[in-house]
Amino acid sequence: MSVSAFSDVVRARVMARSGGFCEVRVAGCWDEASQLHHRRPRGLGGSKNPATGQASNGLMVCLPCHNYLETVERAEARDRGWIVRQGQDPREIPVYRYRRWVLLDDEGGIAPVEVTA
Ligand SMILES: [Zn+2]
């Protein structure tokens, strides 16, 4: 992982929200989270937008899940809100987390949300 765009405060919020556990949980998940995933990638101009460094843009992940998101199944990752497109606000895109749809806020909060596929 490269240098994070998240401040220590934001990192702490995401960590607290996750309780130290992986928030993605796809096949091969290790449960314990060790990395911070950017839902909206920084590499595509994301670092220019302040929302990229906010808690709503971060997910704590384990190594297998991070690899899955970054290299294996980007289409599925978008469908589940684990990856957010440029121009989308991470606060407005539901995330599939622990088998439930939620919205993440920038204070480290979680709100259940109804998603009809
Ligand atoms: Zn995982």
Side-chain angles (χ1 to χ4, degrees), residues 38-70:
H38 290 76
R39 297 174 66 203
R40 182 161 61 193
R42 290 170 301 134
L44 302 169
S47 61
K48 292 176 186 144
N49 189 317
T52 304
Q54 300 303 317
S56 60
N57 197 46
L59 286 172
M60 288 305 301
V61 291
C62 67
L63 182 61
C65 288
H66 209 187
N67 287 339
Y68 182 89
L69 294 182
E70 300 288 1

Side-chain angles (χ1 to χ4, degrees), residues 1 4 6 11 14 34-38 58-61 66:
M1 191 168 64
S4 176
F6 292 108
R11 180 175 285 271
V14 178
S34 60
Q35 305 187 349
L36 192 43
H37 165 69
H38 290 76
L59 286 172
M60 288 305 301
V61 291
H66 209 187

